[in-house]
Amino acid sequence: MSKSVLRGLRAAALTGTLVLGSVPASAAENPIKLGVLEDQSGDFAAATIGKVHAIQLAAEEINKAGGIMGRPLELVPYDTQSDNTRYQEFMRRVLQRDKVDVVFAGFSSASREAYRPIVDQFNGFAFYNNQYEGGVCDGHMIVTGAVPEQQFSTLIPYMMEKYGKNVYTLAADYNFGQISAEWVRKIVKENGGKMAGEEFIPLGVSQFSQSVQNIQKAKPDFVVTLLVGTAQASYYEQAASANVNLPMASSVNVGQGYEHKRFKPPSLKDMYVTTNYIEEIDSPKSKEFYAKFKAKFPSEPYVNQEAENSYLAVYLYKQMVERAKSTKREDIRKVIAMGDVCMDAPEGKVCIDPKSQHMSHTIYLAKVGADHSISFPKTWEDIKPYWLGEAGCDLTKKDPMAQYTPSRSPAETLTGGWSSRRACTPGRSRLPAPATLPLSSIWLVHGHSDPRLFGTLSIR
């Protein structure tokens, strides 16, 4: 990121406002305010600074074209520094003090679940523009990122057919990793496979010698890597140095943290990733988006899926406001309920599902070569975010403001009274033990005696 851009972002964060583009002076007195709570620094910044830039790019384009209903789009950015307490602090600030109309917020699922109760409490309206573990059924949220039925339901069967049915999962130890691992277990079982092992690594851990030994001992056919942040990305070079030499499958790596650019080949050789966008996609729409992005931010190291999600989210918001002729959440949700909020995005056509307020995607299977080049063995077009709707979430009828998992669906929650927020607290997972793992499963504890708070390992 250029020093001038960084200075501009910091100044905007201090003043709380950033107006891009040009609109008439009279209209500028009544802007539409968009809060931007993203990590411009901290452990996740490498993957998230592109989100901030994408929002800036879209806002500037919209303002140059006359704004939204003739009103300028004013960004109200804050650097959340990869810190969940800052998400809570700044979410209260943008909703209560800055009086924003909408908020774009969060990278990790832990950050989303930290601020989501505040959005609900103050009847706010937020976009979560990230790939994630799925399951959020909340009328105050729109999710533009891909979800498990779009990524794992394509990726895992492909890998099992190509490499074998013995699977090992290495995941970040918080709600994203825990629930994503549950999805992997479910799909592996449905496809006649078995879990060779499953390990959860605390955020911030960067040493993986024990994990490498565990994987080599388990002898899986491939490893599902669901690692998050700069520290956990250290696994790839360490595994390569130890000659693990196993194919890898991921829903997050490459598409978010562009590890194939950051690490020396062949650290990510034979990694397969399901993503809705990366800069290597060779379509006219993708090339146009990439060229615009690099023209405005020439020092941007990589244009990832979260950047595209954030860019198109601004345009989707514009469409919904103009159709509703209102910035009120209740009016916008009436437009969403029509089921035709769509756009031609850099990845392809996308639409918002009215039941879950999640988005359809084109999913690209990206393969990393030995030289870290990218190829695309397979593409799935227009995959709907179907699971929540089929499981019982219908925001056109009822808003539970909850998160669900495959083992705890909306229908089961209605009968059982389960609270998703309690169960998804990082470090206190209440997910059921994998059916494929024996009673002799062991704990791998990273420097602490309480396995509930830190990483766990199960080996069959």
Side-chain angles (χ1 to χ4, degrees), residues 35-38 51 87 91 103-107 111-112 115 126-130 141:
V36 182
L37 274 56
E38 298 289 359
K51 297 174 71 179
Y87 274 100
M91 185 60 76
V103 189
F104 285 19
F107 176 72
S111 66
R112 184 198 65 247
Y115 75 67
F127 278 67
Y128 181 62
N129 301 313
N130 261 73
M141 301 288 299

Side-chain angles (χ1 to χ4, degrees), residues 174-206:
Y174 70 111
N175 47 352
F176 163 73
Q178 292 278 0
I179 299 174
S180 294
E182 184 185 352
W183 274 98
V184 173
R185 267 181 250 135
K186 177 179 183 291
I187 295 169
V188 167
K189 183 178 180 180
E190 289 173 350
N191 286 270
K194 65 177 182 178
M195 298 301 300
E198 186 177 69
E199 189 171 347
F200 297 96
I201 309 297
L203 293 173
V205 168
S206 60

Side-chain angles (χ1 to χ4, degrees), residues 7-235:
R7 283 196 298 270
L9 284 171
R10 285 174 176 166
L14 288 172
T15 60
T17 62
L18 179 62
V19 180
L20 302 168
S22 57
V23 291
S26 58
E29 296 175 2
N30 187 28
I32 293 174
K33 293 185 177 183
L34 191 159
V36 182
L37 274 56
E38 298 289 359
D39 302 329
Q40 299 168 36
S41 60
D43 193 37
F44 302 138
T48 57
I49 194 63
K51 297 174 71 179
V52 180
H53 292 165
I55 295 165
Q56 284 184 289
L57 175 61
E60 182 176 278
E61 291 174 350
I62 288 169
N63 283 344
K64 284 181 177 178
I68 300 176
M69 297 191 302
R71 297 166 60 187
L73 193 58
E74 180 183 296
L75 304 185
V76 184
Y78 292 97
D79 180 8
T80 40
Q81 300 177 28
S82 307
D83 183 339
N84 294 341
T85 59
R86 289 185 181 271
Y87 274 100
Q88 294 173 323
E89 173 192 351
F90 291 142
M91 185 60 76
R92 291 189 179 94
R93 183 180 298 183
V94 294
L95 294 177
Q96 293 182 284
R97 190 192 73 179
D98 299 323
K99 305 293 185 184
V100 300
D101 297 286
V102 66
V103 189
F104 285 19
F107 176 72
S108 76
S109 292
S111 66
R112 184 198 65 247
E113 292 307 289
Y115 75 67
R116 189 164 64 85
I118 298 168
V119 177
D120 294 342
Q121 178 186 357
F122 293 104
N123 198 30
F125 190 38
F127 278 67
Y128 181 62
N129 301 313
N130 261 73
Q131 174 278 343
Y132 85 118
E133 73 281 359
V136 170
C137 181
D138 189 332
H140 298 83
M141 301 288 299
I142 289 180
V143 178
T144 62
V147 287
E149 63 266 34
Q150 295 166 323
Q151 294 185 290
F152 291 134
S153 295
T154 49
L155 177 65
I156 302 303
Y158 179 93
M159 295 296 291
M160 291 175 69
E161 182 177 349
K162 186 173 180 66
Y163 291 107
K165 298 188 174 184
N166 204 25
V167 182
Y168 195 107
T169 294
L170 189 64
D173 190 20
Y174 70 111
N175 47 352
F176 163 73
Q178 292 278 0
I179 299 174
S180 294
E182 184 185 352
W183 274 98
V184 173
R185 267 181 250 135
K186 177 179 183 291
I187 295 169
V188 167
K189 183 178 180 180
E190 289 173 350
N191 286 270
K194 65 177 182 178
M195 298 301 300
E198 186 177 69
E199 189 171 347
F200 297 96
I201 309 297
L203 293 173
V205 168
S206 60
Q207 295 302 314
F208 287 90
S209 58
Q210 185 63 59
S211 299
V212 166
Q213 292 177 35
N214 296 332
I215 291 168
Q216 290 172 324
K217 181 179 178 180
K219 297 184 179 356
D221 294 313
F222 65 93
V223 179
V224 177
T225 59
L226 302 169
L227 301 173
V228 177
T230 303
Q232 290 195 349
S234 303
Y235 165 77

